[in-house]
Amino acid sequence: LVIFDAATGMEEYEIPSVPNGGYSIHAELADVDGNGTDEVVIVNDDYPGSTLVRVIGWNGAAYDVLWQAESSGSMVQYGQFSPGGANDLVLWGSNGVQVLAGDTGASLYASTFDEAVEQVIVTNVDVDSSDEVIIQLYGASPSIVILDSDRPADSVHRTFCETRLSLAQNSPNPFSGAT
């Protein structure tokens, strides 16, 4: 991956290769440090034993790796789960989801499921000030898992409440109270 200057077309930065091999499988632009400028988020698969997530940003003089972390997820989206405008990263793979703090790469939430993860959507469904993560699972017990971020106004800590709704035939309707 190479970053070019939009005005001049000149190459500004070539993203360094992954230590110990691997290749880029997903890239995303997101403001993960809350400075108002997008950083480049790169997910590299085939990193020994896991996936390597790197955030590349402008340090005032040049592009640099701001942080990197290992994850089990190979796909990435971002959402706002913390005060201050910074985005956190949601990574997922075949049967797990992980949320990394956008500013540090620290793991905020991780879960594995017996069912396969088919799709992940990050959006604000309850019209509060933070996004939710909606996870569609399929397999023996198809379901939807909703991760709702509890985000107190005076705290930078993020916690997640997990709600699971079954999509299996003959399962109780969670909205009607009937079985």
Side-chain angles (χ1 to χ4, degrees), residues 101-168:
D103 54 352
T104 65
S107 183
L108 302 174
Y109 170 88
S111 186
T112 56
F113 305 101
D114 292 333
E115 301 83 6
V117 175
E118 182 169 333
Q119 182 175 352
V120 173
I121 299 169
V122 179
T123 189
N124 189 341
V125 296
D126 60 5
V127 198
D128 63 6
S129 58
S130 64
D131 288 330
E132 286 74 43
V133 180
I134 299 148
I135 306 160
Q136 180 183 358
L137 303 175
Y138 72 97
S141 300
S143 57
I144 299 289
V145 176
I146 301 171
L147 302 180
D148 192 0
S149 173
D150 176 18
R151 177 175 125 168
D154 61 349
S155 173
V156 295
H157 298 92
R158 282 80 95 200
T159 58
F160 292 88
C161 173
E162 185 177 305
T163 303
R164 187 176 189 130
L165 305 171
S166 177
L167 299 176

Side-chain angles (χ1 to χ4, degrees), residues 30-145:
D31 181 10
V32 297
D33 60 8
N35 68 357
T37 303
D38 286 343
E39 286 73 42
V40 181
V41 179
I42 301 170
V43 180
N44 295 99
D45 203 359
D46 282 350
Y47 187 70
S50 66
T51 299
L52 183 66
V53 180
R54 293 184 295 167
V55 173
I56 312 291
W58 183 255
N59 68 14
Y63 287 96
D64 197 10
V65 176
L66 302 179
W67 60 261
Q68 65 183 32
E70 291 185 29
S71 174
S72 59
S74 59
M75 297 299 293
V76 65
Q77 287 189 13
Y78 59 90
Q80 202 167 60
F81 306 112
S82 61
N87 288 296
D88 296 318
L89 303 177
V90 179
L91 292 109
W92 75 94
S94 60
N95 70 334
V97 173
Q98 182 178 22
V99 179
L100 299 178
D103 54 352
T104 65
S107 183
L108 302 174
Y109 170 88
S111 186
T112 56
F113 305 101
D114 292 333
E115 301 83 6
V117 175
E118 182 169 333
Q119 182 175 352
V120 173
I121 299 169
V122 179
T123 189
N124 189 341
V125 296
D126 60 5
V127 198
D128 63 6
S129 58
S130 64
D131 288 330
E132 286 74 43
V133 180
I134 299 148
I135 306 160
Q136 180 183 358
L137 303 175
Y138 72 97
S141 300
S143 57
I144 299 289
V145 176

